[in-house]
Amino acid sequence: MRRFLKAAGTALAAAVCLAVSVPAAFAEGSKLRHVAVEAQPASPVDPLGGLGVVSFAPAVLASVPDPDRSPAGANDFGCKPSAAHPYPVVLVHGTFENAFDNWSGLAPVLKKAGYCVFALNYGETRPHALIKAVGPIPASARQLAAFVDKVRAATGAAKVDLVGHSQGGGLMPQWYLRFDGGAAKVHQLVGISPSSHGTTLLGLIHVADAVLAVAGSAGKPLGLDSPAAKDQTVGSPVLHQLYAEGDTEPGVTYTNIITKTDEVVTPYTNQYLTAGPGAIVHNVLLQGVCPLDLTGHMGSSYDPNTYQLVLNALDPTHAHPVRCALMLLPV
């Protein structure tokens, strides 16, 4: 019993993480595209301090009074894409996160770089919930489809680039690309710690699902009921359906920014994609670019090294070297 309780406690802690959840060296089979580490233009500065998960925490608190607020630099529907950056960027937050707490670091960086930036909130079990992206993944993908159409109509752009974290860079937008017509409307999907191929959650996923089921019954008004977490469990019906015909859609470029110290999407190698016909895949291992960057899952969307990798993926013709910031918190 003691061993089970310890495992359940560990799973609950991991579930909370999921909830709040160059030539450079690339993973096997991918092409070299990003610029190597050199003493040249610096990576963008994280507006909240460049401390990964330490920066994420105040953003969560700041979103409590208004969980639907937009991060700085996002959702100016009067923005018109420039010739230099013709694709609007749509930011897609992760499970149990919201647009503000996930993107208050990256959104202003992208805006300053000249992009039209948009960020949606999706997957609520009740209106104005602090904790979002908990609904079934197919339903959330339909919300993403509607938002992309809204952005395209406002900006006049034929296609957008998607940048997502966790679920928002993995299963959910991939479902949209495959089943909701997204491949014709998306130029590139950039996933930061994407939940591609699901997670074992360090081998504790079934314990975590059981904990979430109990918590969901008692805490449904708080958004703790999470079909999305179950959809991202290795072996789920959603996973089987999504990847039955391969990982990718023709005409779309996929960039996956992956950290070995990911404690939520495990094993981290699940995040790699294999290119099918007509698609391009770049699997970027963060430690292959910056060996002393130990950022984990929660902190990855506030990692300044990741910011530069995202910018390089969006505009590879003008990629800058990654001057590696030291990130020593593996969370």
Side-chain angles (χ1 to χ4, degrees):
M1 175 61 73
R2 180 178 298 175
R3 182 173 298 176
F4 174 80
L5 291 175
K6 182 178 180 180
T10 303
L12 180 58
V16 170
C17 289
L18 178 65
V20 297
S21 85
V22 156
F26 276 39
E28 54 274 15
S30 59
K31 298 179 180 179
L32 296 178
R33 183 167 73 163
H34 298 282
V35 181
V37 178
E38 299 175 9
Q40 292 185 23
S43 298
V45 175
D46 181 346
L48 295 181
L51 296 174
V53 71
V54 176
S55 298
F56 176 76
V60 173
L61 294 176
S63 71
V64 171
D66 181 8
D68 299 321
R69 67 188 296 191
S70 298
N75 294 336
D76 173 8
F77 281 89
C79 185
K80 298 299 180 184
S82 65
H85 301 307
Y87 303 111
V89 176
V90 175
L91 300 174
V92 190
H93 63 77
T95 310
F96 294 111
E97 297 175 314
N98 59 58
F100 185 87
D101 65 37
N102 212 161
W103 301 122
S104 285
L106 184 58
V109 168
L110 293 173
K111 183 69 172 180
K112 185 177 180 180
Y115 290 92
C116 291
V117 182
F118 301 88
L120 80 158
N121 284 299
Y122 70 92
E124 297 175 308
T125 56
R126 64 176 181 83
H128 312 300
L130 175 66
I131 296 173
K132 305 180 190 294
V134 295
I137 281 176
S140 292
R142 291 191 292 272
Q143 294 178 42
L144 175 59
F147 190 81
V148 168
D149 286 346
K150 180 180 178 181
V151 169
R152 291 172 60 243
T155 61
K159 293 186 176 184
V160 303
D161 282 331
L162 303 178
V163 177
H165 177 239
S166 193
Q167 178 193 159
L171 267 66
M172 195 276 274
Q174 291 170 21
W175 187 280
Y176 162 59
L177 295 174
R178 175 148 291 174
F179 298 117
D180 294 307
K185 302 172 184 179
V186 173
H187 167 250
Q188 180 171 194
L189 169 61
V190 180
I192 301 169
S193 301
S195 62
S196 305
H197 297 291
T199 179
T200 67
L201 204 60
L202 301 174
L204 296 172
I205 188 61
H206 296 298
V207 177
D209 282 346
V211 171
L212 283 172
V214 173
S217 298
K220 194 168 184 176
L222 300 176
L224 296 181
D225 183 43
S226 182
K230 297 178 182 67
D231 288 344
Q232 293 171 92
T233 298
V234 165
S236 76
V238 164
L239 282 165
H240 281 301
Q241 185 175 350
L242 177 58
Y243 296 116
E245 297 183 7
D247 291 353
T248 61
E249 287 296 297
V252 179
T253 296
Y254 298 76
T255 298
N256 305 297
I257 301 170
I258 299 157
T259 174
K260 283 185 176 181
T261 53
D262 197 311
E263 72 285 359
V264 174
V265 183
T266 63
Y268 74 89
T269 51
N270 277 13
Q271 300 173 42
Y272 297 150
L273 295 178
T274 300
I280 298 171
V281 171
H282 302 278
N283 293 315
V284 185
L285 188 62
L286 183 58
Q287 287 76 27
V289 179
C290 297
L292 295 182
D293 188 337
L294 303 183
T295 296
H297 189 85
M298 294 194 324
S300 58
S301 64
Y302 281 90
D303 182 339
N305 303 321
T306 296
Y307 294 171
Q308 189 62 61
L309 291 172
V310 171
L311 289 169
N312 289 351
L314 294 174
D315 188 5
T317 303
H318 300 98
H320 288 292
V322 180
R323 294 185 62 186
C324 295
L326 196 62
M327 307 291 288
L328 297 180
L329 293 177
V331 288

